[in-house]
Amino acid sequence: LLVTPLSSRRQPLHALQRQIDLKADVSTVQVTELSPKTEYSITVYAIYPSLIGDAATSLPQVSNFRVIEEGLFSLRLGWTLPIGKINGFKIFIPRANRPGFTYEQLLPGDTSSHVIDSLEEDKKYIVSIYTVFPEGPSEPVSVVGKTGHIENINLGDNFNFYMIQGLRAGADYTVTINPIFGDIEGPVTTRRAKTESSAVQSLKVSAVTTSSAVVSWNSVPGATGYRLAWGPTPFVGRDRPRQLALNGTTTEYHLKHVAHDTEYVLTLYVLFGSVVGPGISATFRTAPLGYVSNFKVASYTSASIDVEWSPIVGATEYRLTWKTGAGPQSKYLDHGVLFHRIEDLSPLSTYTVTICALYGNAEGPEISLSQLTAVSDSDPIQAPREVKVTDIGVNFFTLSWKKTSGASGYKISWTPFLGEDKTHTVSGSSTSYMIKNLRESSAYKIQLSSVVGNKEGSPVLVTAGTDLPKVNGFEALNTTDRSTVLNWTRVAGVSGYSLSWRHISLDTKTEILGPAVTSFKIGDLLYGRTYIFTIRP
């Protein structure tokens, strides 16, 4: 048995390959010590006294293989494409009523849905799908589907309405009616209708903070309650999913006491008395513990420094620390306090002042600034006003401010939170400056101070983060009345793509795609409608 990890491009990493020798009477084995979130190739060789037999290698199967719609004479199937170079898919149905006969269909490698028609009404069918790779076919994945059936009823001439009962939830039905005149049937009138679904159709997560989120969903008619389960992904140790029962009138729940900067998976089940209906899942990620923003020196004297900052959502306290050559001193301040005067300082001394937000028992990252106290209590140089980042790109910021009276120039410095700082000085008439050549998707500390002659005033500190790179070349090609193919240019260093689409009157659908994917076919679109497609790396 050869166990070989694959790279993100599905290339075998032979240097990390392991070989496991098994006895001839062994037909199952548990492979341990694997790396998380890693794709593996498993190859089995039969060993004979003088030779080694052919290899049997596992290939990835399709996931989420399902019946989307059951018609009278058709089944619509859908699935999620596996990662890798795919030649195509093979759909296969054995015909129970005709032994030896099968339905087979070979589909292109970018297909994610298919309609099988010419079936019999009210019949169960076992449908299998194989992924066809250049190396060969994968193991099949199967699903059971059943066509809808026709029921007839004759009504008297005094009927002008009729309630059809015993229908399945979330199913499409075709209803026909025609008058009867003695032995002669009149013209047929046909209408299509769909029953309400027994499953939640829309599960949304909003108002996400460092420790909470609001979960909402649509009401399901006839539901007596809901069961909400949640837990971090992947589940580790004691972090198993938690569950909560909610009554049938609830369509929103405020999830609290979750960990910061952690991905969670939610599953919501519908309850009909003692029967548990189908579930729907969603994922979300809590916000990381944030830096305190706009931390700056408001004023200073020979014996004091006034600092101020902006509020941060979720903070329960702030811890302020200052030090010079001696040991540090600290002060804990309530979350509503946004200003503090540090007193009893020494004149003409440089103090490092640090602040961080506390989130309950968790401590956010620190941010620091330095300030030289005055020689005497004379008026200090005025700090710049209304300092802010007005434009943010993938690798640049634009910093703007209001002019300071008497300033001959301004000193700008910017520092990544893990890196060296850079500085630049502009004239006293400047009110903005574009900082270029920054790292994408990175946080920066930016300081601006007024300069009068050869003296520098107290800096104003702001924080900002550059954007993630955007997807280029995003376009829709090969559009038909039911589908379209989306293409884009690959983004370097990306770990995947989030592709979503919606019609103005429908819920948003989302697919998470691998880093090598640059094309995706979307089917099941409605004819003559306008759709909005969005892709994010």
Side-chain angles (χ1 to χ4, degrees):
L1 181 73
L2 293 181
V3 182
T4 310
L6 304 181
S7 69
S8 58
R9 297 184 178 180
R10 301 194 75 250
Q11 298 299 316
L13 303 174
H14 294 293
L16 302 176
Q17 187 181 75
R18 284 195 291 149
Q19 177 175 319
I20 302 173
D21 295 325
L22 305 170
K23 294 182 178 179
D25 59 348
V26 174
S27 59
T28 63
V29 64
Q30 183 177 21
V31 182
T32 60
E33 299 180 7
L34 302 179
S35 299
K37 295 185 178 179
T38 302
E39 189 173 3
Y40 283 85
S41 170
I42 311 294
T43 307
V44 181
Y45 291 90
I47 300 177
Y48 298 91
S50 60
L51 54 86
I52 297 178
D54 293 334
T57 303
S58 63
L59 294 168
Q61 304 164 307
V62 302
S63 58
N64 198 22
F65 186 43
R66 64 202 184 277
V67 177
I68 299 174
E69 183 179 337
E70 297 174 340
L72 277 172
F73 310 107
S74 65
L75 295 172
R76 180 180 293 276
L77 308 166
W79 60 90
T80 301
L81 278 67
I83 297 174
K85 184 179 179 181
I86 302 170
N87 286 355
F89 299 97
K90 187 176 182 181
I91 297 280
F92 177 91
I93 300 181
R95 297 292 178 93
N97 59 332
R98 300 183 67 189
F101 286 87
T102 61
Y103 171 95
E104 295 186 27
Q105 180 74 45
L106 188 62
L107 304 173
D110 59 353
T111 308
S112 60
S113 66
H114 181 63
V115 176
I116 302 172
D117 51 18
S118 302
L119 303 177
E120 294 184 59
E121 63 167 288
D122 198 25
K123 292 284 186 182
K124 282 187 178 180
Y125 291 89
I126 300 174
V127 188
S128 301
I129 186 170
Y130 303 78
T131 311
V132 183
F133 292 92
E135 306 96 306
S138 72
E139 289 296 311
V141 178
S142 300
V143 71
V144 177
K146 184 180 181 183
T147 53
H149 63 282
I150 298 175
E151 288 192 12
N152 296 295
I153 189 168
N154 292 325
L155 304 174
D157 58 2
N158 60 335
F159 279 82
N160 58 11
F161 78 92
Y162 182 76
M163 179 181 289
I164 303 174
Q165 297 178 310
L167 305 180
R168 289 184 296 110
D172 279 308
Y173 287 89
T174 300
V175 183
T176 62
I177 186 170
N178 63 305
I180 299 174
F181 303 92
D183 296 331
I184 301 173
E185 293 192 5
V188 173
T189 301
T190 302
R191 292 287 185 271
R192 292 196 68 181
K194 186 172 184 177
T195 54
E196 292 283 353
S197 174
S198 62
V200 171
Q201 301 298 309
S202 174
L203 179 62
K204 297 180 180 179
V205 183
S206 59
V208 179
T209 69
T210 57
S211 61
S212 67
V214 175
V215 185
S216 59
W217 58 92
N218 64 287
S219 177
V220 177
T224 57
Y226 302 93
R227 183 196 299 161
L228 182 65
W230 70 94
T233 58
F235 300 129
V236 178
R238 59 184 179 85
D239 294 326
R240 302 305 300 171
R242 296 180 59 191
Q243 296 195 28
L244 181 71
L246 303 167
N247 63 44
T249 60
T250 305
T251 57
E252 184 177 284
Y253 182 72
H254 193 183
L255 207 61
K256 298 179 181 179
H257 308 301
V258 289
H260 63 87
D261 198 19
T262 302
E263 185 179 62
Y264 281 85
V265 62
L266 300 162
T267 303
L268 184 72
Y269 300 92
V270 189
L271 304 179
F272 300 92
S274 60
V275 178
V276 180
I280 182 174
S281 296
T283 59
F284 72 95
R285 190 176 193 90
T286 50
L289 301 181
Y291 291 90
V292 176
S293 60
N294 298 322
F295 182 45
K296 60 186 178 183
V297 173
S299 63
Y300 63 93
T301 67
S302 60
S304 68
I305 299 174
D306 291 344
V307 289
E308 62 185 27
W309 56 92
S310 297
I312 185 167
V313 176
T316 54
E317 281 184 297
Y318 297 101
R319 189 187 69 200
L320 192 68
T321 304
W322 61 95
K323 65 178 180 178
T324 181
Q329 299 182 63
S330 294
K331 179 82 171 179
Y332 287 87
L333 304 167
D334 186 76
H335 72 279
V337 176
L338 303 174
F339 171 89
H340 185 72
R341 172 167 292 170
I342 305 171
E343 298 181 303
D344 301 324
L345 305 180
S346 302
L348 202 61
S349 299
T350 300
Y351 283 85
T352 300
V353 187
T354 302
I355 193 171
C356 69
L358 303 180
Y359 304 82
N361 295 325
E363 186 175 290
E366 295 182 336
I367 190 166
S368 302
L369 53 80
S370 296
Q371 178 59 51
L372 178 67
T373 53
V375 178
S376 64
D377 287 337
S378 59
D379 292 335
I381 297 173
Q382 185 181 356
R385 297 177 296 112
E386 298 184 33
V387 181
K388 56 188 175 182
V389 176
T390 57
D391 191 18
I392 296 176
V394 174
N395 53 15
F396 69 89
F397 295 133
T398 299
L399 189 69
S400 68
W401 61 90
K402 293 285 186 181
K403 285 185 180 180
T404 301
S405 176
S408 59
Y410 299 94
K411 181 182 176 182
I412 306 160
S413 67
W414 58 97
T415 313
F417 284 110
L418 295 174
E420 298 180 357
D421 66 319
K422 295 183 179 180
T423 61
H424 185 78
T425 303
V426 296
S427 68
S429 61
S430 301
T431 58
S432 68
Y433 179 72
M434 179 179 284
I435 305 173
K436 301 178 182 178
N437 300 321
L438 304 178
R439 294 199 299 260
E440 63 187 33
S441 186
S442 298
Y444 281 83
K445 178 175 71 173
I446 307 166
Q447 296 188 92
L448 178 71
S449 56
S450 303
V451 177
V452 178
N454 59 358
K455 292 184 178 181
E456 181 184 336
S458 171
V460 176
L461 185 144
V462 295
T463 57
T466 51
D467 281 341
L468 285 166
K470 291 182 171 60
V471 176
N472 294 318
F474 189 44
E475 57 184 344
L477 304 173
N478 302 330
T479 301
T480 70
D481 60 342
R482 297 281 292 177
S483 67
T484 189
V485 177
L486 300 172
N487 282 9
W488 59 90
T489 303
R490 186 178 180 185
V491 178
V494 74
S495 60
Y497 301 91
S498 174
L499 177 66
S500 60
W501 63 96
R502 69 178 178 88
H503 177 256
I504 192 169
S505 62
L506 300 175
D507 291 330
T508 299
K509 296 182 178 180
T510 301
E511 283 279 350
I512 303 300
L513 307 174
V517 180
T518 58
S519 178
F520 188 76
K521 183 176 182 180
I522 299 176
D524 300 328
L525 302 179
L526 300 176
Y527 174 75
R529 304 292 179 91
T530 299
Y531 284 82
I532 298 171
F533 301 96
T534 304
I535 190 168
R536 293 186 294 119

